[in-house]
């Protein structure tokens, strides 16, 4: 077994330290070492977006980032999106629009939508579809997800 | 039986009860389960599509640091020749066990051969590579028509065709032949002015749920086995594991975690018994996860098929006869959905003379599993394309020819049942009235197509318990795992009975020790049957509450009525108390109230859908784009319209994927060459327009609120609708799925 490395990073605004093997992805670290299971593994090769997180302001698939690469960086996950007593407008819009069915892809979509609206607060429908094309949903046909993101943009 | 009244809760769109957990990442799915001392299991899978196992040597794997246990088929009890009935028909237990861990032969690439439990998943994976398996590789058979040839390689030396009660003498890859006949097909075709006959081929496709299969198992020292997993049915997991491990159901508890999609693919068990075997061997809880390639290669897709459809009509467009030949790939073991395909194929129409032959054929591909209206989409691709061609040749509008022949109450389906009240005509009329159908569509290479579909829906057993709280809310205990908002749609039916808001119901999906038997979330049955059980449980609560009010007022129960959330006394004393206030007085009137309801309803009521689609075809690349899509469907009564729309939209888009992109691509050795989400390309949101879902409500007399199942039928029409639209755009009839760019270019004669 490879030696575990010590990593210090900022996670949802707070400094955290963890040990991980060099081969462990950020997704594995989040789920197995830090017990934040909101990021999901759907494919483990960057095709489904269920593990989307924001790394130093940039949307990434956490299955394609190594845990050790987050040293000194800032990671934002689904667990950090809502305030303790108030949901984020994107989360509210997903609930109001019934934009989830099974919900396994939902954390990833919300992170992608957040990254989009952080960069482009007033996207067109096409821009939403373009930006979210890296996230697969098999339940909804995307209609209500796209509407939720457009609603969240309008509400901001 | 139908409650014809204005509803307060039904038909509204409350926030789903599990919504906050699911938008904040707090909802726990199967893979999220943790336990102290947890080991991680991984499965070794066959690299060959067809081979005999000569030997398995696990010693090198067992010697690896961190490995705690290795299992093979030898660790499973001897299945013998037992036939198990697991609620979905009889299953050969040896086939069931061999699909969990292969004993004598591997029958597809990805077939599980052995499994390892280790202290971390990477060690388990590494250990799998140290298991030495010696194979005698055999030629694979990968296509249904080849498998039916008399000289085809045989998968099972003992499998003989059963045909309508008779078993053949010689072994064959054809497991069974079914036939449905209505009227006199020969006479019907003789009366036709026009007959169209075509052959169709459809590819193997996967349900494509985003969450891979998962299971964690643990044996207590007293032999109690607990399995945490995502599944469409905790009770069916319990039954299957009990059969495979030959272990009493009373010693197995299945805890359903949240489930990340299923569409029929999470009914069969794969790694759940494996996790149990590893847990037994190691004495520790063991979590086994699949990766995406395991899911594609090791779990049931829905079958590829060869279909021949012949239909005859008078020159006025009246169908006189129809014939179908359906040959479905079962995968490695018998049990394709050719039966449901045969039940559904001509069900949207009233045709007097019909003959349908269905064949269930084994091939060297993973054992197929249900996928949303299993069998019906394959069949409808054939029948709805042929009907479109008849309409075109007779110069009749494709919606008009469907209306002219539409099935109605009292008509007999070719496989026997007589239609109860159905909404086939109403659905067609709603499609005809929709602005999409009359919108101009004249551009070059643009086309419009329509198609209809049918799915019979099922009832089966459900149980619900309601505990009444002192603050006027109720806790609703159910056994139906929630894949698409059914906590809400079930809770709303109880709320309607008790005159309380949907938010005053706290629904919980619980384990198999904590609720009565409940069949799978499948067959479009959950809102229908578990909703029905919730209705019954709420009625039971209401009756008990009436008794309490009567006691409080010292009147006869018959003199208490309940309406709009208020109990009141009639005849004599003028008394009134709200549901909420009476809830606060249960202690003084006799103690807590627990209501229960169990059902096994027969009247599921069939569902109809008609889809309208506009496409454009790029003549240079062969790529088809969906420009506009309208899906019309009879829901009986939409309890939560947003989630009904969601089912319609999701089903339509799965159909679009099936139509245009999705297929298992095999090489000559029988290896799937596209076992990833990159290469097995499901639709993304950039591939699609909004999907206009139109709900028609023709109440189902078999449910107190008129509910029909809605989940499955929306995947039935898209393939034919898109094929018909492509024909409208470029004048080429597509008869092979998927209608990918290369197939279009071939059909257009460009390559």
């Amino acid at each position: 077994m490879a030696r575990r490395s010590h990593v210090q990073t900022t996670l949802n605004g707070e400094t955290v330290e963890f040990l991980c093997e060099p081969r462990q992805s950020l997704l594995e670290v989040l789920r197995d070492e830090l017990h934040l299971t909101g990021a999901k593994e759907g494919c483990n090769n960057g095709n489904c977006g269920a593990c989307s997180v924001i790394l130093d302001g940039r949307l990434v698939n956490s299955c394609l980032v190594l845990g050790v690469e987050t040293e000194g960086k800032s990671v934002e996950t689904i667990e950090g999106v809502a305030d303790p007593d108030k949901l984020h407008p994107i989360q509210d819009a997903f609930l109001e629009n019934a934009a989830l069915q099974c919900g396994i892809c939902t954390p990833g979509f919300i992170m992608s939508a957040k990254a989009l609206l952080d960069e482009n607060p007033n996207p067109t429908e096409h821009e939403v579809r373009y930006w979210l094309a890296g996230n697969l949903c098999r339940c909804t046909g995307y209609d209500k997800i796209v509407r939720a993101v457009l609603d969240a943009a309008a509400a901001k | 039986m139908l409650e014809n009244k204005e509803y307060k809760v039904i038909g509204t769109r409350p926030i789903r009860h599990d919504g906050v957990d699911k938008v904040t990442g707090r909802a726990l799915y199967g893979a999220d389960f943790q336990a102290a001392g947890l080991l991680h299991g991984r499965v070794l899978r066959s690299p060959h599509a067809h081979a005999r196992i000569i030997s398995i040597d696990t010693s090198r794997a067992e010697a690896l640091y961190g490995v705690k246990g290795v299992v093979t088929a030898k660790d499973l009890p001897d299945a013998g020749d037992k036939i198990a009935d697991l609620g979905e028909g009889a299953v050969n237990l040896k086939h069931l066990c061999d699909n969990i861990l292969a004993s004598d032969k591997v029958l597809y690439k990805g077939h599980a051969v052995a499994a390892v439990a280790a202290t971390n998943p990477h060690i388990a994976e590494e250990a799998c590579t140290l298991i030495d398996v010696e194979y005698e590789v055999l030629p694979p058979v990968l296509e249904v028509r080849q498998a039916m040839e008399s000289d085809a390689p045989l998968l099972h030396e003992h499998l003989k065709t059963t045909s309508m009660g008779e078993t053949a003498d010689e072994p064959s890859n054809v497991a069974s032949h079914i036939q449905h006949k209505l009227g006199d097909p020969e006479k019907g075709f003789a009366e036709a002015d026009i007959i169209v006959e075509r052959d169709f081929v459809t590819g193997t496709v996967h349900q494509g749920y985003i969450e891979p299969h998962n299971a964690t198992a643990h044996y207590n020292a007293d032999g109690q086995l607990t399995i945490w997993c995502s599944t469409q049915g905790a009770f069916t997991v319990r039954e299957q594991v009990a059969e495979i491990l030959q272990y009493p159901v009373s010693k197995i508890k299945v805890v359903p975690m949240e489930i990340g999609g299923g569409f029929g693919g999470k009914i069969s068990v794969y790694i759940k018994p494996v996790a149990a075997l590893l847990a037994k061997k190691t004495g520790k809880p063991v979590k086994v996860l699949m990766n995406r390639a395991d899911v594609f290669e090791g779990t049931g897709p829905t079958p590829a098929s060869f279909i021949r459809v012949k239909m005859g009509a008078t020159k006025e467009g009246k169908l006189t006869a129809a014939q179908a030949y359906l040959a479905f790939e079962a995968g490695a073991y018998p049990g394709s959905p050719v039966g449901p395909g045969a039940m559904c194929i001509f069900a949207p129409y009233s045709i007097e003379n019909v003959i349908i032959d269905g064949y269930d054929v084994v091939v060297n591909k993973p054992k197929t599993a249900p996928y949303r209206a299993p069998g019906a989409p394959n069949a409808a691709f054939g029948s709805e394309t042929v009907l479109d061609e008849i309409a075109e040749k007779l110069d009749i509008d494709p919606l008009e020819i469907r209306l002219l022949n539409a099935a109605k109450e009292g008509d007999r389906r070719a496989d026997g049942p007589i239609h109860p009240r159905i909404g086939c005509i109403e659905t067609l009329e709603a499609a005809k009235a929709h602005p999409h159908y009359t919108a101009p569509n004249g551009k070059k290479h643009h086309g419009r197509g329509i198609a209809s579909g049918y799915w019979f829906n099922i009832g089966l057993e459900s149980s619900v318990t309601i505990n009444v709280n002192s603050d006027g809310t109720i806790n609703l205990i159910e056994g139906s795992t929630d894949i698409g908002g059914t906590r809400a749609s079930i809770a709303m039916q109880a709320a309607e009975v008790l005159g309380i808001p949907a938010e005053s119901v706290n629904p919980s999906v619980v384990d198999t020790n904590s609720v009565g038997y409940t069949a799978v979330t499948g067959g479009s049955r959950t809102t229908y049957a578990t909703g029905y059980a919730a209705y019954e449980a709420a009625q039971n609560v209401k009756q008990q509450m009436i008794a309490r009010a009567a006691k409080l007022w010292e009147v006869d129960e018959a003199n208490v009525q309940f309406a709009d959330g208020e109990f009141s006394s009639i005849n004599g004393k003028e008394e009134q108390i709200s549901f909420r206030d009476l809830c606060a007085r249960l202690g003084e009137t006799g103690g807590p109230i627990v209501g229960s309801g169990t059902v096994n309803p027969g009247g599921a009521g069939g569902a109809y859908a008609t889809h309208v689609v506009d496409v454009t075809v790029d003549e240079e690349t062969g790529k088809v784009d969906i420009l506009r899509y309208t899906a019309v469907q009879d829901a009986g009564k939409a309890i939560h319209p947003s989630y009904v729309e969601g089912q319609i939209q999701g089903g339509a888009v799965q159909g679009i994927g099936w139509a245009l992109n999705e297929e298992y691509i095999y090489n000559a050795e029988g290896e799937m060459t596209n076992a990833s989400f990159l290469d097995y390309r499901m639709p993304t949101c950039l591939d699609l327009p909004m999907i206009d879902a139109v709900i028609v409500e023709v109440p189902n007399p078999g449910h107190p609120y008129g509910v029909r199942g809605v989940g499955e039928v929306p995947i039935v029409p898209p393939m034919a609708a898109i094929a018909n639209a492509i024909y409208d755009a470029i004048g080429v009839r597509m008869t092979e799925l998927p209608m990918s760019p290369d197939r279009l270019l071939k059909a257009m004669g460009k390559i």
Side-chain angles (χ1 to χ4, degrees), chain A residues 28 31 40 102 138 142 144, chain B residues 29 32 207 645 662 683:
Chain A
E28 284 180 82
R31 291 178 57 82
K40 305 298 182 189
C102 81
R138 192 60 159 172
Y142 304 101
K144 292 180 189 301
Chain B
Y29 292 75
D32 304 336
Q207 297 85 356
E645 291 160 5
E662 295 179 32

Side-chain angles (χ1 to χ4, degrees), chain A residues 7 35 42 53 58 65 82 117 119 126 132 150 156:
Chain A
V7 179
H35 304 298
V53 301
R58 186 165 164 229
V65 176
L117 298 188
E119 189 171 301
H126 182 76
L132 299 183
L150 290 168
K156 273 187 127 183

